Structure formats: structure tokens, C-alpha cells
């Protein structure tokens, strides 16, 4: 079922129904397999399916690469801010004077 509500309705509708031979139906929810090997195999199958779909779409990634950049991509150089006096400025302003801290530690 595509929606949980539909599955709940079907479960309640079929619960304790009888078949032709007066066999009673016992409908229950299916749970994930507790076997760790089965869980690992299911995870690997899902990952392999994902890799297959990505390869079909032409989106492949080199194993171990942090990002999937095009081969001819060159990262831009980092920019440094300079203050009025020409010296490099930190990305975050010094706010220690606002909270009563000095260079040597707390006051």
C-alpha cells in the first residue's frame, strides 16, 4: 500500500475473517528481519541499486573523493579581508571587550 491509512484499513478489514474451509485469518504487521547478516545484505543491495541508477543518469562519483567536481574545474582562491590599515582581518570580529575578557584570561 502506498499510504499507511490504507494498510491500516486493510488490516482491520481482514482481521478474523474466515476462508472457505472456516480457516481463520490472522493478519499481522511484518517487521524488519532481526538477522544482522540479512540487514547488511539488504543495505548492500539498496546501495548497489542506487549506484546503478546514478550510473544510468551519468552521475558517477569517484570513491574517496570529497566532492564530485568536473575534471576541468578549478577551485577559486580564497579571499582575505583587509582592514583600514591594510592588515588581514579575522572572519569574526573580536568581541572579548564586550564581555570583560582580557588577553591574559578572565577578569
Amino acid at each position: 500500500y502506498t499510504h499507511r491509512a490504507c494498510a491500516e484499513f486493510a488490516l482491520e478489514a481482514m482481521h478474523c475473517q474466515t476462508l472457505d474451509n472456516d480457516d481463520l485469518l490472522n493478519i499481522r504487521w511484518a517487521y524488519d528481519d532481526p538477522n544482522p547478516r540479512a540487514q547488511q545484505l539488504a543495505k548492500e543491495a539498496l546501495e548497489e541499486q542506487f549506484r546503478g541508477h546514478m550510473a544510468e543518469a551519468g552521475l558517477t562519483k569517484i570513491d574517496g573523493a570529497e566532492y564530485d567536481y568536473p575534471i576541468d574545474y578549478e577551485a577559486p582562491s580564497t579571499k582575505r579581508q583587509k582592514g583600514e590599515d591594510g592588515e588581514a582581518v579575522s572572519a569574526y570580529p573580536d568581541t572579548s571587550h564586550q564581555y570583560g575578557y582580557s588577553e591574559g584570561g578572565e577578569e
Side-chain angles (χ1 to χ4, degrees), residues 4-64:
R4 173 79 187 230
C6 296
E8 292 279 352
F9 180 80
L11 179 111
E12 290 298 321
M14 295 301 295
H15 187 67
C16 294
Q17 295 292 321
T18 57
L19 297 175
D20 292 336
N21 303 356
D22 293 330
D23 292 330
L24 190 64
L25 290 177
N26 186 3
I27 308 295
R28 295 184 236 167
W29 288 113
Y31 294 101
D32 291 336
D33 192 347
N35 183 353
R37 180 67 183 142
Q39 290 175 354
Q40 182 66 26
L41 288 174
K43 180 181 176 186
E44 289 172 2
L46 187 62
E47 288 174 355
E48 186 60 36
Q49 182 183 11
F50 174 73
R51 282 190 212 102
H53 288 300
M54 294 297 283
E56 286 176 10
L59 304 170
T60 59
K61 185 173 175 110
I62 300 170
D63 290 336

